[in-house]
Amino acid sequence: MRTLSVVLSATLALTACGTTTSASNTDCPNGKVRFGVEPYEDPAKLKPAYEVLAQALSGKLGCEVELQVVDDYAAEVLAMRNGKLEIAQFGPLGYVFASQKARAEPVVSFADGAGKLTSYTAGIWVAKDSPVQKIEDLRGKSLALSSVGSASGDALPRYGLKKHNVSDVKLDYAGGHPEAMLSLINGKVDAAEINSQQLATAKAAGTFDESRFRQVWRSEPIPNDPITVRGDLDPAFKGKVRKALLELSPADVAKVGAFLDVTPPGPLVEVGNDTYKVLFDLAATLGLKEEDV
């Protein structure tokens, strides 16, 4: 598991820049808005989807929106805490720590075509011919997890193991959801976390043959990722961001929604701290601290 000193030394990787309209410094902090995104999928795949969202948001705000895909969860929290991001999309568990350490405030999340907030599930999968039939059978086996600090790729699978009194499991942090899945596909581990979002993306891309694998555990639903705003910004500007995000059309967010298993795509809808209470409770149950992210 990575140490805090290593994680927090990660630097931001600027992988894409939104554009567009000119604006005065009075309208936008520092003349632009910096929008952070965690690398929950290959950044090369995330980039074009978030460029569409950034372009649309830029038009609504009248500000340049600079898109940054960060190195990991902790780097995103650190960037917002240090005033280097005005807006950021966090994973649900990453948001728990971002709210505590970086004053992140949830604004919106992703809805389906009916305007209902969407959710996803964590899961543990094995090969179809594996002797593992249930989560208890993972004792003495290897399990690929995503990355430290991921709700579905780290905390929830570990919570599932704890709840079922399963110990003596070799945890292998693969570095991301796609990498954890590949560890299982390539036979490098006995089991892997695969959340419902990654499953849908991989099946659509033809990179995962579900008939060759079995799911042996699934979590309760998790509310989808919040897009947040830094809490120390001017209240009027925060209100402007909220209004702009809520005014985006389903087409503006559909490409991002596809990575989050939002089908059919809908608009962004308001969320608050209460929306993510289950994640605050999870962090408390596992005794998670900032160094665990």
Side-chain angles (χ1 to χ4, degrees):
M1 187 175 294
R2 295 170 295 178
T3 63
L4 179 62
S5 61
V6 172
V7 173
L8 293 187
S9 66
T11 57
L12 287 176
L14 179 61
T15 63
C17 291
T19 62
T20 86
T21 57
S22 60
S24 69
N25 288 339
T26 58
D27 293 329
C28 312
N30 302 312
K32 63 182 177 182
V33 174
R34 296 163 294 183
F35 181 9
V37 179
E38 66 194 26
Y40 61 88
E41 178 58 86
D42 180 356
K45 296 179 180 178
L46 291 177
K47 174 182 173 180
Y50 278 93
E51 282 179 334
V52 175
L53 193 158
Q55 178 82 16
L57 180 59
S58 177
K60 294 290 185 181
L61 286 175
C63 301
E64 176 188 356
V65 175
E66 179 185 272
L67 181 65
Q68 300 181 4
V69 180
V70 299
D71 288 340
D72 53 33
Y73 295 92
E76 188 175 23
V77 173
L78 183 63
M80 181 168 272
R81 181 167 64 188
N82 290 342
K84 295 180 179 180
L85 295 174
E86 284 72 46
I87 304 173
Q89 179 181 325
F90 289 99
L93 185 60
Y95 161 67
V96 170
F97 294 97
S99 70
Q100 297 168 349
K101 302 297 182 180
R103 296 168 292 183
E105 297 177 1
V107 181
V108 297
S109 187
F110 298 83
D112 61 20
K116 179 181 178 182
L117 177 65
T118 55
S119 61
Y120 64 106
T121 56
I124 296 176
W125 289 70
V126 299
K128 189 174 183 179
D129 60 358
S130 169
V132 176
Q133 298 295 322
K134 55 187 184 299
I135 192 170
E136 289 85 353
D137 296 334
L138 287 172
R139 291 184 180 90
K141 306 295 185 183
S142 56
L143 170 63
L145 298 179
S146 171
S147 56
V148 177
S150 169
S152 62
D154 178 24
L156 280 165
R158 288 197 290 118
Y159 177 70
L161 293 172
K162 181 177 180 179
K163 186 176 180 181
H164 289 83
N165 298 312
V166 181
S167 57
D168 190 28
V169 177
K170 180 183 177 183
L171 302 180
D172 178 14
Y173 286 91
H177 296 294
E179 291 82 2
M181 175 183 283
L182 279 174
S183 292
L184 179 62
I185 292 173
N186 294 332
K188 294 182 178 180
V189 291
D190 299 306
E193 72 80 15
I194 303 175
N195 71 22
S196 58
Q197 296 170 338
Q198 178 62 34
L199 178 65
T201 300
K203 286 171 63 177
T207 57
F208 185 77
D209 182 358
E210 190 174 359
S211 68
R212 295 176 50 211
F213 302 93
R214 287 185 289 105
Q215 185 170 236
V216 296
W217 173 83
R218 182 173 60 189
S219 74
E220 294 297 319
I222 313 161
N224 231 323
D225 295 12
I227 296 177
T228 71
V229 65
R230 201 174 74 236
D232 64 349
L233 292 172
D234 181 80
F237 179 73
K238 290 191 289 185
K240 183 178 179 181
V241 170
R242 181 184 303 273
K243 182 174 184 293
L245 288 167
L246 289 171
E247 288 179 350
L248 296 182
S249 72
D252 295 330
V253 299
K255 289 184 180 294
V256 171
F259 287 108
L260 301 173
D261 196 21
V262 178
T263 306
L268 296 172
V269 293
E270 284 195 71
V271 293
N273 267 339
D274 289 346
T275 308
Y276 299 94
K277 183 179 183 301
V278 63
L279 281 309
F280 283 90
D281 292 345
L282 174 66
T285 299
L286 290 178
L288 297 179
K289 297 180 174 61
E290 183 181 10
E291 57 263 34
D292 298 313
V293 176

